Amino acid sequence: MNPGHGSAGERLADAVDARLPVHDGPGRLLRKAFPDHWSFLLGEIALYSLIALVLTGVWLTFFFTPEMSEVVYHGSYVPLRGQLMSRAFDSTLHISFDIRGGLLMRQAHHWAALVFVAAVGVHLLRIFFTGAFRRPREMNWVIGVTLLVLALAEGFAGYSLPDDLLSGTGLRIAQGIMLSIPVAGTYVSMFAFGALFPGHDIVPRLYSLHILLLPGALIALLTVHLILVFYLKHTHWRGPRRRNSNAVGKPLYPQFTASSLGLSLTVSGVLVLLAGVAQINPVWVYGPYRPDQASTGSQPDWYVGFLEGSLRLVPPWETNLAGHTLMWNVLLPAVVLPGVLFLVLYAYPFVEQRLTGEWRQEQHFCDRPRERPVRTGLGAAGITFYAVLLLAGGNDVIAQSFRISVNALTWIFRISLVVAPVLALFLTRALCRALLHAEQERLTEGEETGEVRQTLAGGYESGHRPVTSFRPGAPRQPLSPPDHPPGSRTGTPARQHPEPEPRSR
């Protein structure tokens, strides 16, 4: 129908919608394309874990008492009856043994926290290895790394609230880290604890952080993150009908909504199942915190285990300077190392794009890890570095389990911390280049049929057929001659495709 022949109301609606998409706004939103590859579900797992965290956390606030004043325990757990403990620990035992469903909710909350941090970390790895942090998504990467930092802080605050012997040992270590900061360390410790360790203020302060400030920051950043995801659209794999200017996938409604709802129910079910069958953080076994005791074989939650490992690996280095003692064995592994680690994570997208020149245009295609041997090798080196530190955090348990010397194991981890990441870098880079070469050879010569025939010259050769099956993002034709080496800076073979088109929304 010609708009010029419509009613005045229709012409006005068309004119308004052409400038402000009021009428078709919901329609465009419902038609927004979402990728259907499994790797894009990692961010959704983090979202639904956070929702489970909020729901179970709200329930727990009705019964938890964030106070450090001492009481005598008279609850249902017989081994601790008659012992002095803080009201925080007493209320934790009350939730676990006297509230119907309390232990299930406590454990579901703890499992949701572990899954949330893990999902955020793996989601960031997916973004890193596929290059989804490049223009125009640099700020979303910065927000994601900030979410990881806040998730670590939120987890540590919640882990410390029960005031049991295990979490109290962790708080004591945290205070030692604060004191290692030159000049300002004592002031930082007094500001956090409100008095000499342990004081009576740390649990109420952590409680305020855990239920109000940190969750508010997490939810606010997550909201901004999701808005940017909708506005900038998702990256997608290369393939037929896929360009740098469009987004291919299933629409938000009904396909993506149905699958996402199913995933949310699955995540919730798995968390409840874990809470029911897999015991976690049995605080009654550790007992209430006492400053003159430390729990044997204590291990923190996995996401801060790398800090524990770094503290155990650095030799006892100290420097006396102008009447001040610098504790390098605490300052370097617990303050400098995590600071440098997250600084590298924040800066990496900008540094890589400057080195490769990709900051000049928008990138909406996902890289396959093998197409970026250098970046993939650096990622493998970082994961190896983290894994060595995580294992070193349990060197005493490993030594006792395998009947080996703790000192010998510590030296093994110290050497591995330097050597293993370098080996991982070169091995991963070589593997990526070998996979690229094998893939190009397969595209050039075709797939083997399994048939062997004799040639006229008397030799034998295998039959080949054209390649018909491709993985997501895999090329449909040889990227370059098989003997063409990858680029020295990016590690990416030169693609034979037109220049990316400008993005249009």
Side-chain angles (χ1 to χ4, degrees):
M1 176 179 177
N2 189 346
H5 295 84
S7 65
E10 290 177 347
R11 292 196 300 271
L12 178 61
D14 291 338
V16 172
D17 201 53
R19 294 163 177 78
L20 297 173
V22 177
H23 296 86
D24 196 43
R28 292 182 181 180
L29 179 63
L30 295 179
R31 292 193 302 269
K32 180 176 176 58
F34 282 81
D36 53 4
H37 193 262
W38 65 267
S39 63
F40 290 90
L41 301 178
L42 296 169
E44 295 181 51
I45 294 176
L47 173 63
Y48 298 133
S49 300
L50 179 61
I51 293 175
L53 267 172
V54 172
L55 294 177
T56 54
V58 169
W59 189 91
L60 291 172
T61 57
F62 293 123
F63 307 99
F64 181 73
T65 305
E67 297 180 10
M68 298 186 70
S69 57
E70 288 190 331
V71 296
V72 178
Y73 180 67
H74 296 292
S76 301
Y77 188 64
V78 176
L80 290 179
R81 283 183 182 172
Q83 290 198 27
L84 284 174
M85 59 184 62
S86 65
R87 287 188 178 274
F89 189 72
D90 177 78
S91 64
T92 305
L93 295 180
H94 179 67
I95 293 172
S96 302
F97 295 106
D98 301 314
I99 301 297
R100 186 180 297 273
L103 182 58
L104 181 69
M105 297 297 284
R106 265 197 66 236
Q107 299 201 148
H109 188 71
H110 202 124
W111 276 115
L114 297 183
V115 173
F116 173 66
V117 179
V120 172
V122 179
H123 181 56
L124 284 173
L125 287 177
R126 198 276 301 174
I127 294 174
F128 176 84
F129 284 116
T130 61
F133 52 76
R134 294 171 295 177
R135 179 181 176 185
R137 298 175 181 83
E138 300 97 333
M139 291 312 300
N140 237 3
W141 168 267
V142 171
I143 291 174
V145 175
T146 306
L147 282 172
L148 179 61
V149 175
L150 292 176
L152 297 179
E154 173 76 341
F156 180 77
Y159 170 85
S160 304
L161 287 181
D163 197 32
D164 60 286
L165 188 58
L166 183 61
S167 65
T169 302
L171 280 175
R172 185 60 164 172
I173 295 173
Q175 192 226 9
I177 294 172
M178 297 174 191
L179 292 175
S180 71
I181 301 174
V183 181
T186 53
Y187 299 98
V188 173
S189 175
M190 290 293 291
F191 176 79
F193 290 89
L196 296 176
F197 181 86
H200 290 84
D201 297 332
I202 187 63
V203 167
R205 292 180 178 183
L206 288 176
Y207 185 71
S208 300
L209 286 172
H210 184 68
I211 71 166
L212 181 62
L213 300 180
L214 291 176
L218 278 170
I219 294 173
L221 280 179
L222 184 61
T223 302
V224 175
H225 175 75
L226 293 176
I227 291 173
L228 288 177
V229 167
F230 270 78
Y231 177 72
L232 299 173
K233 77 184 181 183
H234 283 79
T235 55
H236 56 178
W237 300 103
R238 290 179 177 83
R241 304 185 307 277
R242 302 190 179 196
R243 302 185 303 275
N244 207 39
S245 59
N246 69 351
V248 178
K250 50 190 176 184
L252 174 62
Y253 181 85
Q255 287 92 336
F256 178 78
T257 301
S259 62
S260 186
L261 179 61
L263 179 62
S264 68
L265 296 176
T266 301
V267 170
S268 302
V270 170
L271 291 176
V272 174
L273 179 64
L274 286 172
V277 302
Q279 179 176 270
I280 188 170
N281 198 25
V283 295
W284 54 89
V285 176
Y286 313 134
Y289 178 67
R290 289 180 53 181
D292 60 334
Q293 294 183 357
S295 53
T296 304
S298 60
Q299 304 294 318
D301 281 339
W302 69 268
Y303 47 84
V304 290
F306 75 101
L307 285 178
E308 179 81 12
S310 62
L311 284 168
R312 298 189 183 194
L313 291 187
V314 176
W317 295 334
E318 293 182 358
T319 300
N320 292 318
L321 182 64
H324 296 278
T325 301
L326 296 180
M327 303 166 56
W328 299 109
N329 57 325
V330 179
L331 181 66
L332 288 178
V335 179
V336 177
L337 175 65
V340 172
L341 172 64
F342 284 102
L343 180 62
V344 170
L345 290 177
Y346 279 117
Y348 186 86
F350 307 97
V351 174
E352 182 190 282
Q353 289 185 104
R354 282 289 176 176
L355 293 177
T356 60
E358 292 177 322
W359 60 275
R360 295 185 178 89
Q361 60 185 13
E362 296 183 353
Q363 307 289 334
H364 299 290
F365 282 125
C366 290
D367 286 328
R368 294 181 304 154
R370 68 181 66 181
E371 295 175 349
R372 299 286 182 148
V374 176
R375 180 203 295 156
T376 306
L378 290 173
I383 293 173
T384 304
F385 186 83
Y386 176 86
V388 173
L389 291 179
L390 187 62
L391 289 173
N395 61 350
D396 54 341
V397 177
I398 297 174
Q400 183 180 13
S401 301
F402 293 95
R403 300 293 189 269
I404 57 180
S405 168
V406 175
N407 292 331
L409 188 62
T410 299
W411 273 105
I412 291 174
F413 282 134
R414 285 173 178 171
I415 297 172
S416 299
L417 191 63
V418 177
V419 176
V422 177
L423 291 177
L425 169 62
F426 287 104
L427 288 176
T428 303
R429 189 180 65 174
L431 178 61
C432 289
R433 290 176 174 174
L435 289 172
L436 277 176
H437 182 83
E439 185 175 63
Q440 295 172 32
E441 185 177 2
R442 174 172 172 265
L443 291 173
T444 303
E445 300 180 0
E447 294 178 328
E448 293 186 0
T449 61
E451 299 176 354
V452 179
R453 57 178 177 268
Q454 188 174 17
T455 64
L456 294 176
Y460 294 91
E461 65 180 9
S462 59
H464 292 79
R465 60 171 175 264
V467 180
T468 57
S469 61
F470 302 92
R471 294 182 177 181
R476 264 58 176 178
Q477 59 183 354
L479 301 177
S480 57
D483 58 346
H484 182 75
S488 59
R489 298 179 73 182
T490 65
T492 309
R495 294 192 181 88
Q496 298 178 358
H497 62 72
E499 288 297 319
E501 302 176 11
R503 177 163 57 95
S504 61
R505 296 187 184 91

